[in-house]
Amino acid sequence: MPYKEREINKLYYTMGEVTALFGVNASQIRFYEREFDIIQPKKNKKGNRLFTPDDIANLKIIFNLVKDKGYTLQGARDYLRNNKGEAREHQRVIDSLERLKVFLLEVRDSL
């Protein structure tokens, strides 16, 4: 059986890692933290934010609603308040489709 590298799952992500993941400035992440109460990063003694994988998943949902679907901030807040489980399920499907797309592109490039 060939060696397959495992995906590393971290417990906490720094602000720099989160901004690189989403391709935005730290100020936008801090703004969404203030606007949406579902994002609650831990802070160390120096005050640096440490985001959990759950925070990352919530940010993905917010970015999808605001950037891709065109919701206003209030509209996204209301949608998350009323349909949090449904939003998580939609984001899970989107993530799996993105992974499938990457896999298929790798297969195409290897042919």
Side-chain angles (χ1 to χ4, degrees):
M1 188 184 306
Y3 173 74
K4 183 175 181 183
E5 200 168 311
R6 293 186 314 162
E7 188 176 317
I8 298 173
N9 293 324
K10 297 175 72 172
L11 294 177
Y12 294 102
Y13 295 87
T14 63
M15 178 64 86
E17 291 170 325
V18 174
T19 58
L21 178 67
F22 290 102
V24 297
N25 293 328
S27 61
Q28 188 170 9
I29 301 294
R30 288 191 300 268
F31 175 73
Y32 283 158
E33 177 188 345
R34 284 190 307 271
E35 292 295 318
F36 295 92
D37 58 351
I38 61 171
I39 302 172
Q40 296 293 323
K42 309 280 187 257
K43 292 185 182 177
N44 63 12
K45 291 180 182 179
K46 290 173 64 177
N48 298 337
R49 289 168 174 81
L50 299 172
F51 295 88
T52 63
D54 194 40
D55 291 327
I56 301 294
N58 289 332
L59 277 169
K60 283 182 181 180
I61 292 169
I62 291 168
F63 271 89
N64 182 32
L65 291 173
V66 174
K67 299 288 184 183
D68 297 338
K69 292 187 176 181
Y71 279 69
T72 62
L73 293 178
Q74 184 61 44
R77 252 186 258 124
D78 293 341
Y79 182 82
L80 287 173
R81 189 176 304 118
N82 298 328
N83 304 315
K84 191 172 185 178
E86 183 180 326
R88 285 185 188 268
E89 182 63 24
H90 284 226
Q91 190 60 44
R92 190 184 64 75
V93 170
I94 290 169
D95 290 342
S96 76
L97 288 173
E98 287 175 353
R99 285 192 303 273
L100 179 63
K101 178 182 176 183
V102 168
F103 172 73
L104 290 174
L105 290 173
E106 288 174 358
V107 169
R108 183 194 68 185
D109 293 341
S110 69
L111 292 177

